[in-house]
Amino acid sequence: MNSGLLSFYLKKTDGAEFKEHLSDHIETALNNSNRLSDSRIVMLARNIMKNIDFEQLLRLAIIFHDSGKAFFQQNLKKLKSGETYLSFAGHEFVSAIIADMFVKELSSETMHEVYLAVPFSILYHHHAMNPHLREEQKLTYVCKIALENYSRYSDELKNTLEKFLEESEHEAFAKCIERLRLERQNILSPTYLRHILKRKLDKAFIKECRPAFQKLAFLLLDSLIVCDYIAAQKRGAGVSSTFSKAVQIFYNLWFSR
């Protein structure tokens, strides 16, 4: 299962190309969450908040976490070594906007705060990677790229993500894409990202939140990081590091029964 949208691209100086399609990355990451039923992490989520469908929250976070990459398909850069690659730096900001628009359409008023954990986890799933640099220097550039490429790639993104969404979620996603089309000049902007979306999510889960909501949001964030990282490692042999070992330990411990 794949579309033309890429989530990874690297061209070596000898002409060899390495690429991963967005749909393949999503599918691999979703497969990493298939063993969640009755797992320790689901049991922990239920202890935090009764009757919560943590599996659904993680499924949606995985589906949307790289959605912003759709608009970076022409953003080729060159390394000093001469290798060419697609840069997706800052894609998480656009992904969080799309996820936020989607959960607005999908969730009821009583459940909306819970569903906000999805865009929260997406916004911060690369936070450890030079957060101040990514935010302060990238927002204007990222929004410019998203605006320039929205019309070109929005339909392909819609078709790609619908393959993973449940049929009952298609209408909400269609409304999300249409709203972004109509209001993209205002929504895909540094002002909206910094002063509306980020402020809303930080208020909900960091500054004024109830402890249960905060615990759930950070549990979802950790789970998304783990599923995303393990899926990315499967592009190749991967490099063993302290972080990769910690990710695998977390996965083995919490994603098992």
Side-chain angles (χ1 to χ4, degrees):
M1 175 192 294
N2 66 64
S3 70
L5 295 177
L6 296 174
S7 62
F8 176 83
Y9 175 81
L10 176 68
K11 185 176 182 179
K12 297 282 192 177
T13 53
D14 62 2
E17 292 183 315
F18 301 87
K19 64 178 68 174
E20 179 185 51
H21 288 93
L22 177 60
S23 56
D24 290 336
H25 178 66
I26 293 171
E27 186 171 28
T28 302
L30 285 172
N31 288 339
N32 291 334
S33 68
N34 281 344
R35 53 192 275 191
L36 273 190
S37 184
D38 295 325
S39 64
R40 289 187 178 94
I41 204 162
V42 167
M43 298 301 291
L44 176 58
R46 290 173 183 165
N47 285 334
I48 294 171
M49 192 175 294
K50 292 182 179 179
N51 302 319
I52 191 68
D53 190 343
F54 187 77
E55 292 174 81
Q56 183 187 30
L57 295 179
L58 181 55
R59 177 178 63 83
L60 293 176
I62 290 172
I63 291 171
F64 283 95
H65 81 284
D66 276 348
S67 56
K69 287 186 175 182
F71 310 112
F72 290 74
Q73 301 297 299
Q74 305 298 317
N75 196 34
L76 287 169
K77 304 289 184 181
K78 184 161 284 191
L79 297 169
K80 291 181 180 179
S81 61
E83 296 175 334
T84 302
Y85 70 101
L86 267 179
S87 173
F88 300 103
H91 72 274
E92 67 271 20
F93 298 112
V94 183
S95 299
I97 287 177
I98 296 171
D100 183 58
M101 295 293 104
F102 173 73
V103 299
K104 280 182 183 177
E105 299 291 344
L106 181 70
S107 59
S108 64
E109 185 174 341
T110 56
M111 290 295 291
H112 186 61
E113 190 172 6
V114 172
Y115 276 87
L116 278 180
V118 173
F120 174 84
S121 66
I122 291 171
L123 181 65
Y124 287 110
H125 80 282
H126 284 309
H127 186 66
M129 300 168 64
N130 300 314
H132 297 298
L133 178 65
R134 293 177 77 90
E135 182 175 345
E136 297 303 326
Q137 296 185 13
K138 295 290 184 181
L139 282 187
T140 300
Y141 180 63
V142 164
C143 291
K144 181 176 180 289
I145 289 178
L147 282 171
E148 289 177 350
N149 292 284
Y150 186 82
S151 296
R152 182 174 183 177
Y153 293 107
S154 58
D155 285 343
E156 191 167 4
L157 176 64
K158 181 175 179 290
N159 293 335
T160 298
L161 299 194
E162 277 184 345
K163 299 172 186 176
F164 300 101
L165 293 170
E166 296 178 357
E167 189 172 345
S168 60
E169 298 166 339
H170 285 187
E171 182 179 356
F173 187 44
K175 289 180 178 178
C176 157
I177 292 294
E178 178 64 10
R179 183 183 172 194
L180 279 169
R181 183 184 71 81
L182 294 173
E183 302 178 36
R184 63 184 182 275
Q185 293 293 336
N186 293 325
I187 294 175
L188 295 173
S189 70
T191 298
Y192 183 89
L193 273 164
R194 186 180 289 112
H195 298 297
I196 298 179
L197 179 59
K198 188 175 184 298
R199 184 174 293 176
K200 175 178 69 175
L201 296 176
D202 287 354
K203 178 180 178 181
F205 298 112
I206 298 176
K207 296 179 180 178
E208 300 178 14
C209 72
R210 287 175 281 171
F213 284 93
Q214 187 177 64
K215 291 176 183 178
L216 184 70
F218 279 92
L219 187 64
L220 184 63
L221 172 59
D222 288 345
S223 300
L224 174 59
I225 290 171
V226 166
C227 290
D228 180 35
Y229 187 84
I230 293 176
Q233 287 289 92
K234 291 181 180 178
R235 293 185 192 124
V239 178
S240 180
S241 65
T242 300
F243 182 72
S244 66
K245 291 175 182 176
V247 166
Q248 196 61 55
I249 290 171
F250 184 98
Y251 182 77
N252 292 339
L253 177 63
W254 290 100
F255 280 62
S256 62
R257 299 181 181 181

